[in-house]
Amino acid sequence: MDLKIGNFFVKDIQFGETTSYNDGILTINKEEALNFVKEDEHITDADLLIVKPGDEVRLVPVKEAIEPRVKVESGETIFPGYTGKVAPAGNGITHALKGCSVLVVGKHWGGFQDGLIDMSGEGAKYTYFSKLKNIVLVADTDEDFEKREQQKKNRALRMAGHKLAEYIATCVKDLKPEEVEKYELDEITKRNKEVSDLPSVVLVMQPQSQMEEMGYNDLVYGWDANHMVPTFMHPNEVLDGAVISGSFMPCSSKWSTYDFQNNPTIKKLYREHGKTINFLGVIMSNLNVALEQKKRAALFVAQMAKSLGADGAIVAEEGYGNPDADFIECIVALEDIGVKTVGITNECTGRDGQSQPLVTLDEKADAIVSCGNVSELIKLPPMKTVIGELQSLARDGLSGGWADDEILGSSVKEDGSIIMENNAMFCGDQVVGWSPKTMKEF
């Protein structure tokens, strides 16, 4: 596969008469964009806002983040099988608006899988998205059946964000990009000796796929990942819209669609390919509920890695708790067949940091990169502007918020300050590879 991503570096975003891109300035016709969003009859109320790094803005409940992109040659959508018909991803030319994202925020109702972003102050350091210029779609839907449910599919809102991201990026479809990233790997059996003699590495990704009811899990070419068995994928497919985020995991553990589109681990492996490693590709695995299912998936992954000739593997899980069993099972299965393996995950060590970090452990899992503690308490002062509804953090069962605690009270205080667990920080742990967190020595 030969993928070229043409980048346009957004210096500023503004509203104006025409949706266009010129000399780093992205201009959006707000009325036309909202009319496009409201073509979906399930969107009952919507507004479009712009927030930038340093703004005194708090966003909650945040549901999704997408990088605006458009396919140049094929005429297909950027999310095949989801916003358009099933078609190959990972080939051809895709144009991307860099340094910005489309954020989807609920106008009122939040849930277990939604999170919070602060664009300035102490809270800004906890999430990558505070560093981006964000086009914020804040909206509500007619999905009354789930408004007060703790677990939401957020179907209409998420799809509105994905479609809006492509709608906005259409303005650069016919422009010359400022930079072109090239992603190409030769067929594994046809690589030259210099590359083939390097240590061979495969990336194992475990996207969230535990929910047996459809509509919550990550999607692969529009297919619910719960239906999958471990599957070998070209890394270009992941970077080019074949995989999109679901609506299930506690939010700090979530991989947003933006994270799949810009996966730093994949990009780093690409940079080292032919220099220090032979990058084989991606095994897209799944997360299961029953122990037998977890063991079966791990066996699939190990067999596939061995057959590909992997010397080493990186395993990254989306989530924690029940998925820890899949994560460790997979690492052990790889180590048992002689594939040296490193894991990437966050931890749930309790608010005091003294609980077992993963639900299950094994002495063979002796190389794990930690991306932070989901239970860490975070206290943040009031913010000048709230987009969405602050009370959703306390009222609606966000994974890091609560309505009342016998010691701490409500997550949302009368003055607008908050106390919450890291769990509710939108994509805060960044297991995909760009967590800002580090170790602290005592």
Side-chain angles (χ1 to χ4, degrees), residues 167-417:
Y167 172 87
I168 291 170
T170 302
C171 69
V172 298
K173 182 176 181 178
D174 299 322
L175 302 182
K176 182 179 179 180
E178 298 153 34
E179 174 191 86
V180 177
E181 299 176 40
K182 298 180 180 180
Y183 297 99
E184 183 178 12
L185 291 175
D186 292 333
E187 293 90 338
I188 292 173
T189 59
K190 297 180 181 179
R191 295 177 183 176
N192 62 45
K193 187 176 186 303
E194 289 77 11
V195 173
S196 297
D197 285 347
L198 293 169
S200 295
V201 178
V202 66
L203 173 62
V204 181
M205 298 179 67
Q206 296 178 313
Q208 66 103 332
S209 48
Q210 291 176 279
M211 294 292 279
E212 294 179 351
E213 181 179 340
M214 301 300 96
Y216 297 100
N217 298 311
D218 292 359
L219 301 178
V220 182
Y221 284 105
W223 198 36
D224 194 295
N226 181 263
H227 294 319
M228 290 180 61
V229 294
T231 301
F232 182 69
M233 294 184 70
H234 196 289
N236 288 10
E237 295 177 280
V238 181
L239 296 176
D240 198 34
V243 188
I244 67 169
S245 177
S247 186
F248 174 52
M249 284 294 170
C251 206
S252 72
S253 305
K254 182 193 288 285
W255 295 346
S256 70
T257 297
Y258 185 100
D259 295 324
F260 285 112
Q261 293 173 301
N262 292 279
N263 188 293
T265 302
I266 289 178
K267 291 187 175 184
K268 179 66 173 179
L269 289 167
Y270 251 118
R271 287 195 295 271
E272 294 301 314
H273 177 69
K275 299 175 184 176
T276 61
I277 62 167
N278 176 17
F279 181 25
L280 299 173
V282 174
I283 298 175
M284 191 64 67
S285 188
N286 52 349
L287 299 171
N288 305 278
V289 177
L291 183 58
E292 185 179 72
Q293 295 169 351
K294 297 174 187 293
K295 291 182 178 294
R296 186 182 297 116
L299 290 175
F300 269 112
V301 170
Q303 177 275 124
M304 206 175 297
K306 191 68 172 178
S307 298
L308 290 167
D311 300 303
I314 299 171
V315 179
E317 67 166 330
E318 182 183 9
Y320 68 93
N322 189 293
D324 292 343
D326 302 77
F327 178 67
I328 295 296
E329 194 78 38
C330 187
I331 292 174
V332 170
L334 288 164
E335 289 281 345
D336 281 345
I337 61 167
V339 178
K340 296 296 182 183
T341 305
V342 174
I344 309 176
T345 183
N346 52 15
E347 307 170 59
C348 183
T349 62
R351 293 176 183 175
D352 59 4
Q354 296 186 41
S355 298
Q356 180 171 302
L358 302 177
V359 165
T360 181
L361 294 169
D362 192 284
E363 61 183 11
K364 293 175 183 176
D366 58 2
I368 294 180
V369 178
S370 171
C371 298
N373 175 19
V374 301
S375 304
E376 179 185 355
L377 279 178
I378 299 171
K379 297 179 181 181
L380 299 173
M383 191 64 73
K384 182 178 180 181
T385 300
V386 174
I387 295 176
E389 188 174 53
L390 184 59
Q391 194 58 38
S392 67
L393 175 66
R395 183 192 63 215
D396 297 335
L398 271 67
S399 49
W402 52 86
D404 190 35
D405 180 276
E406 61 181 14
I407 298 174
L408 300 173
S410 172
S411 281
V412 178
K413 308 304 180 183
E414 290 185 4
D415 65 352
S417 63

